[in-house]
Amino acid sequence: MARTWILLRGLIREKRHWEDFPQRLQAALPQDRVLLLDLPGNGDLYQQPSPTRVGAMLVSVREQLKARGETGPYHLVALSLGGMMAVQWLSQAPEEVAFAALINTSVSRFSPFWQRLRPANYPRILRDAVFSRDPRRKELAILQITSNLHDEAFLEQLAGKWAGYAREKPVSLSNSLRQLLAAARYRAPSALPAEVPVMVINGGGDRLVSPRCSRTLAQAWQLPLHVHPQAGHDLPLDAPQWLINTLIEGVTDFAV
């Protein structure tokens, strides 16, 4: 039976920041469908105000799917802030979720703020990634913090490409701060519905969010944890094929 995969990105990111990962996933699962969505304030929805609650972000996602005529249940691939939305989805409407992969995410219930956003990054994130008016400088800063497995020349080239995205569909300072607020104050449920298979996936070299957050989530909710030892926060960028293999193995294991 064909599955519908929903890809959910993180803070101040849009569909195009997945780069070729969706195409790779689609090629690996030709019988399935891979759908990408933007959050209010990002991408195609950049002119809308970003919600300051993860629950309200989820409302937008579900409304977008409903408008497309989609009914689910869905297989969620959810990175960072996207992972928080997946957790909210599991809590709020588990019948709409067939499977969820939570990638490099964190929640305030189980992890302190200094693990959820490592303090060493605060000055550069604020200076270069939030308040800078130079799109290329902003994107390069994000890439240098979130990617471990690409050389500087690759990151420089990709930063130029992503700066183009930012010029076409800019995320406003207000929306950036609103998304940060939503992520910072999201408090997950104490337990997830037992009937939906969920896995936690982590880049062991994540320099933005401590890998301890993923370990803590997996322990608290008794979920399988899969770790790429070197990859950074942007796991789909650093190790796309490893991530695809892990997703397929996870779905297969749960189906057995």
Side-chain angles (χ1 to χ4, degrees):
M1 183 177 177
R3 295 166 293 208
T4 300
W5 296 79
I6 306 295
L7 274 53
L8 299 172
R9 257 284 188 169
L11 285 162
I12 62 173
R13 302 291 83 181
E14 58 153 283
K15 292 180 292 190
R16 289 179 291 181
H17 290 112
W18 287 103
E19 290 301 318
D20 68 349
F21 180 80
Q23 290 78 17
R24 285 172 175 256
L25 181 60
Q26 184 68 78
L29 299 166
Q31 74 281 6
D32 294 350
R33 294 187 307 145
V34 178
L35 304 181
L36 289 78
L37 300 171
D38 282 326
L39 301 181
N42 301 340
D44 292 342
L45 308 180
Y46 78 97
Q47 293 178 314
Q48 297 183 16
S50 295
T52 57
R53 296 282 184 184
V54 168
M57 294 178 176
L58 178 59
V59 169
S60 172
V61 166
R62 294 172 72 198
E63 287 179 347
Q64 289 180 60
L65 289 168
K66 184 178 179 180
R68 294 186 185 189
E70 303 291 344
T71 58
Y74 307 109
H75 286 62
L76 308 180
V77 180
L79 172 64
S80 197
L81 174 60
M84 298 176 212
M85 281 189 288
V87 169
Q88 182 66 21
W89 209 334
L90 286 160
S91 175
Q92 185 174 324
E95 71 281 359
E96 296 178 7
V97 183
F99 166 85
L102 311 178
I103 306 170
N104 289 341
T105 196
S106 65
V107 296
S108 61
R109 177 181 290 274
F110 301 121
S111 299
F113 72 88
W114 61 86
Q115 291 180 8
R116 301 188 67 208
L117 189 62
R118 288 181 155 183
N121 295 310
Y122 292 175
R124 192 173 189 200
I125 288 173
L126 290 174
R127 183 185 69 245
D128 294 341
V130 176
F131 292 109
S132 174
R133 295 185 178 182
D134 181 342
R136 191 178 180 284
R137 177 179 178 181
K138 178 178 294 189
E139 297 301 337
L140 183 59
I142 291 171
L143 284 164
Q144 288 175 337
I145 293 171
T146 59
S147 175
N148 291 353
L149 300 182
H150 293 286
D151 61 27
E152 191 65 19
F154 176 90
L155 297 182
E156 291 270 0
Q157 183 179 27
L158 189 58
K161 183 178 182 182
W162 285 10
Y165 300 164
R167 293 186 185 99
E168 291 172 15
K169 298 174 182 178
V171 181
S172 68
L173 174 58
S174 172
N175 277 338
S176 298
L177 296 175
R178 290 168 71 88
Q179 291 173 42
L180 281 167
L181 176 60
R185 67 184 184 183
Y186 179 63
R187 187 169 177 82
S190 59
L192 296 182
E195 67 270 20
V196 182
V198 180
M199 64 191 302
V200 178
I201 304 177
N202 177 244
D206 191 341
R207 290 174 289 121
L208 182 67
V209 177
S210 171
R212 284 181 288 180
C213 295
S214 288
R215 293 198 297 269
T216 301
L217 272 184
Q219 292 168 0
W221 289 333
Q222 298 183 334
L223 302 174
L225 173 64
H226 299 260
V227 180
H228 187 293
Q230 293 89 30
H233 188 71
D234 198 339
L235 188 50
L237 179 65
D238 269 0
Q241 194 57 53
W242 179 90
L243 177 55
I244 289 168
N245 293 343
T246 301
L247 292 168
I248 293 172
E249 289 168 9
V251 169
T252 302
D253 289 345
F254 282 124
V256 172

